[in-house]
């Protein structure tokens, strides 16, 4: 299989505003290096030929050759005669340390510790397990009583649901990938928000989709109510995009959007669903963060309820998960949809998965009835985390901006300068792993933004801001130094 090829035009888009006041070959090399380290130029990708890139950027070939030479000397590029220049990372691909290893604090994960109810539920599930041992253990659909519990929760929220409308998956990520593989063909368009959860866009791309972005810009200040359209989504633009692009599928995070924390108003939901119905677009609503309400306290109805109000009634698939509200170690997710859609998903699931872990299903089934108490516990934790981040931004980085945050797991912070990647890289030298803004966008966007989790303790968050303060002195004023680093870690 040949290496993936990056065209000169694509690289120009990724580079963005890379020119500064220094030598152009050095600035070009620095920018390409950041793109490799940030994962936006995948390892093994062939870079454009020197002549092609020079023509595209309006540079001399000598300048581009000097930049490539700089990258080779830093071991970020291998140049092989007849094969071109291939992106790589210096040294072996080592696993990066997590928050507890080698003193590193891992803020790439916006996730809470386990709910206090989990140990008792796990013990009870272990005692319950022998009842299921006479069976094969292969469970591609989900335990009946777990699906019944999930269906009951939807019914309580105003969406009547039967257990056969629920398919249990190995986490929400498998649900996204399964939906993409089932309902998208190669070359189909998929509507996605920008910024958004990066592993969702990866799953859509792997299914062969061409991504069509719409922008989410959360309100900077003031109350955010579900009854207003000042919610961060431009409904007019979304309607026009759906009509123009005619996407086969739209992936949305309507409640406590990752990473911005915004929530879509009822009016916007109805307009988006009506536009989707008119074009035959399947709407996928990722509700994994929907329970993480800090102080909004407004009822958020499931998207299919709004679809019934919208003309045409667009097909809506809901994605839920135990990982965000209960614990990340519980790899249990689910899909709620109309029966014909669920049947298609069940038929497609065995190609990659023959069963969902039994013991984890038993744990989640025991915890779902305790969701009201668990949500109250999470509300307290997230409020403290949000208020701590807001306080530290005000005292440490008064020029940074933090949008209104009424729920979710992270703050989408404006840092005022296009240096998010450089800041994330410099922070590693000070013991902090954090995801740069472009990790949540396409083609290098969001260099002026940084996702900061609100899920850590006061002490950990203060440590993180101390590291960011030291890293900012490097990132904001000087080219980031070369790093002998492994691949950028995944984000959660």
């Amino acid at each position: 299989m040949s290496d993936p090829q990056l065209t000169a035009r694509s690289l120009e888009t990724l580079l963005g505003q890379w020119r500064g006041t220094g030598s152009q070959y050095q600035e070009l090399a620095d920018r390409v290096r950041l793109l490799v380290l940030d994962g936006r130029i995948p390892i093994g990708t062939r870079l454009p030929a020197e002549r092609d890139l020079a023509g595209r950027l309006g540079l001399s070939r000598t300048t581009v050759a000097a930049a490539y030479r700089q990258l080779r000397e830093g071991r970020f590029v291998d140049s092989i005669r007849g094969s071109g220049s291939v992106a790589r990372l210096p040294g072996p691909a080592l696993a990066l340390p997590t928050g507890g290893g080698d003193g590193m604090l891992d803020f790439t994960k916006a996730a809470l510790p386990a709910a206090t109810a989990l140990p008792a539920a796990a013990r009870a599930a272990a005692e319950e397990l022998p009842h299921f041992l006479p069976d094969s253990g292969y469970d591609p659909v989900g335990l009946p009583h777990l699906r019944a519990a999930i269906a009951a929760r939807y019914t309580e929220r105003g969406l009547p649901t039967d257990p056969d409308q629920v398919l249990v998956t190995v986490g929400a990520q498998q649900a996204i990938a399964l939906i993409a593989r089932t309902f998208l063909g190669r070359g189909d368009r998929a509507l996605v928000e920008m910024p958004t959860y990066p592993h969702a866009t990866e799953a859509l791309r792997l299914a062969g989709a061409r991504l069509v972005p719409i922008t989410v810009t959360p309100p900077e200040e003031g109350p955010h109510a579900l009854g207003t359209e000042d919610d961060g989504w431009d409904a007019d633009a979304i309607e026009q995009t759906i009509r123009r692009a005619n996407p086969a599928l739209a992936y949305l995070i309507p409640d406590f959007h990752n990473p911005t924390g915004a929530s879509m108003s009822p009016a916007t939901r109805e307009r988006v669903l009506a536009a989707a119905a008119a074009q035959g677009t399947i709407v996928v609503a990722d509700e994994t963060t929907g329970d993480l309400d800090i102080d909004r306290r407004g009822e958020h109805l499931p998207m299919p309820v709004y679809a019934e109000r919208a003309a045409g009634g667009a097909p809506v698939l809901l994605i839920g998960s135990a990982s965000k509200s209960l614990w990340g170690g519980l790899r249990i997710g689910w899909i709620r949809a109309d029966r014909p859609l669920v049947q298609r998903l069940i038929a497609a699931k065995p190609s990659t998965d023959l069963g969902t872990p039994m013991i984890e299903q038993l744990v989640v089934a025991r915890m779902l009835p305790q969701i009201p108490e668990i949500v109250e516990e999470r509300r307290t934790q997230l409020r403290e985390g949000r208020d701590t981040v807001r306080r530290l931004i005000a005292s440490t980085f008064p020029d940074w901006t933090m949008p209104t945050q009424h729920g979710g797991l992270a703050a989408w912070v404006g840092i005022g300068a296009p240096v998010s990647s450089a800041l994330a890289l410099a922070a590693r030298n000070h013991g902090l792993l954090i995801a740069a803004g472009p990790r949540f966008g396409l083609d290098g966007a969001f260099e002026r933004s940084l996702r900061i989790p609100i899920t850590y303790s006061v002490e950990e968050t203060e440590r993180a801001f101390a590291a960011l303060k030291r890293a900012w002195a490097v990132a904001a004023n000087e080219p980031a130094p070369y790093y002998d680093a492994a691949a950028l870690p995944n984000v959660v």
Side-chain angles (χ1 to χ4, degrees), residues 119-345:
R123 288 191 292 270
E127 294 175 357
E128 188 180 5
L129 181 63
H131 174 73
F132 297 89
L133 295 181
D135 296 329
S136 69
Y138 290 100
D139 177 33
V141 180
L143 290 174
H145 73 289
L146 173 58
R147 289 188 288 125
I150 295 169
R153 287 202 63 219
Y154 283 118
T155 301
E156 291 169 3
R157 291 176 55 203
L159 179 63
T161 301
D162 292 327
D164 60 359
Q165 292 178 272
V166 175
L167 171 62
V168 179
T169 60
V170 184
Q173 185 61 38
Q174 187 192 60
I176 298 169
L178 178 60
I179 290 170
R181 193 172 68 250
T182 304
F183 296 106
L184 285 172
R186 187 157 298 278
D188 283 347
R189 292 182 176 90
L191 189 79
V192 294
E193 297 153 326
M194 283 293 116
T196 194
Y197 176 55
H199 298 311
T201 56
E202 290 164 2
L204 296 172
R205 279 175 160 157
L206 283 173
R210 292 181 290 168
L211 304 185
V212 179
I214 56 173
T215 301
V216 179
T217 307
E220 288 294 336
E221 58 185 29
H224 169 55
L226 273 177
T228 69
E229 280 200 75
D230 183 20
D231 54 8
W233 285 263
D234 185 336
D236 290 335
I238 296 172
E239 289 173 337
Q240 293 172 12
T241 301
I242 291 175
R243 285 196 299 267
R244 185 185 69 251
N246 192 26
L249 181 146
Y251 172 79
L252 307 172
I253 308 175
D255 288 290
F256 307 129
H257 174 266
N258 182 7
T260 69
S263 290
M264 190 181 287
S265 70
T268 300
R269 296 177 197 229
E270 290 183 19
R271 292 179 64 181
V272 170
L273 290 164
Q279 300 299 130
T281 301
I282 294 174
V283 175
V284 178
D286 187 336
E287 294 190 325
T288 55
T289 54
D291 285 330
L292 302 174
D293 186 344
I294 300 175
D295 52 23
R296 185 182 68 182
R297 301 286 181 160
E299 180 64 28
H300 49 293
L301 298 173
M303 287 287 273
V305 177
Y306 299 100
E308 294 171 1
R309 302 175 184 175
V316 180
L317 292 89
L318 299 178
I319 294 174
S321 173
S323 300
K324 296 294 188 276
S325 54
L326 304 183
W327 184 45
L330 288 173
R331 306 309 306 149
I332 297 295
W334 55 83
I335 301 168
R336 189 274 182 201
D338 290 339
R339 292 176 182 83
L341 301 180
V342 170
Q343 290 303 313
R344 289 183 61 184
L345 291 164

Side-chain angles (χ1 to χ4, degrees), residues 236-486:
D236 290 335
I238 296 172
E239 289 173 337
Q240 293 172 12
T241 301
I242 291 175
R243 285 196 299 267
R244 185 185 69 251
N246 192 26
L249 181 146
Y251 172 79
L252 307 172
I253 308 175
D255 288 290
F256 307 129
H257 174 266
N258 182 7
T260 69
S263 290
M264 190 181 287
S265 70
T268 300
R269 296 177 197 229
E270 290 183 19
R271 292 179 64 181
V272 170
L273 290 164
Q279 300 299 130
T281 301
I282 294 174
V283 175
V284 178
D286 187 336
E287 294 190 325
T288 55
T289 54
D291 285 330
L292 302 174
D293 186 344
I294 300 175
D295 52 23
R296 185 182 68 182
R297 301 286 181 160
E299 180 64 28
H300 49 293
L301 298 173
M303 287 287 273
V305 177
Y306 299 100
E308 294 171 1
R309 302 175 184 175
V316 180
L317 292 89
L318 299 178
I319 294 174
S321 173
S323 300
K324 296 294 188 276
S325 54
L326 304 183
W327 184 45
L330 288 173
R331 306 309 306 149
I332 297 295
W334 55 83
I335 301 168
R336 189 274 182 201
D338 290 339
R339 292 176 182 83
L341 301 180
V342 170
Q343 290 303 313
R344 289 183 61 184
L345 291 164
I346 292 172
K349 192 170 183 278
S351 65
T352 57
D353 169 61
L354 296 178
T356 304
M358 187 72 66
I359 188 70
E360 294 181 27
Q361 292 189 73
L362 295 173
V363 173
V364 173
R366 289 197 165 262
M367 295 186 74
L368 283 181
Q370 304 175 61
I371 281 294
E373 295 81 9
I374 293 171
V375 167
E376 194 60 42
E377 175 187 346
R378 295 321 203 182
R379 181 176 288 121
T380 300
Q381 293 171 311
L382 291 169
R383 182 182 292 114
E384 180 182 63
R386 176 197 61 185
D387 295 347
T388 298
V389 169
R390 190 177 295 281
R391 169 178 61 83
L392 290 171
I393 287 175
S395 62
T396 311
F397 300 105
D399 294 333
W400 289 12
T401 59
M402 178 176 168
T404 301
Q405 186 80 25
H406 289 296
L409 295 166
W412 187 239
V413 176
I415 62 176
V419 295
S420 184
S421 294
L423 179 62
L425 293 171
R428 289 183 177 187
N429 259 13
H430 300 286
L432 175 67
L433 300 177
I434 194 165
R439 190 72 176 91
F440 302 88
L442 300 175
D443 299 330
F446 305 112
E447 275 289 6
R448 294 179 181 271
S449 300
L450 187 70
R451 189 190 75 163
I452 301 180
I454 61 172
T455 55
Y456 291 81
S457 68
V458 173
E459 185 273 334
E460 289 171 318
T461 306
E462 288 175 344
R463 280 178 53 201
F465 269 81
L468 287 172
K469 183 177 181 179
R470 292 190 294 269
W472 182 255
V474 175
N477 300 308
E478 304 174 12
Y482 280 84
Y483 290 80
D484 187 3

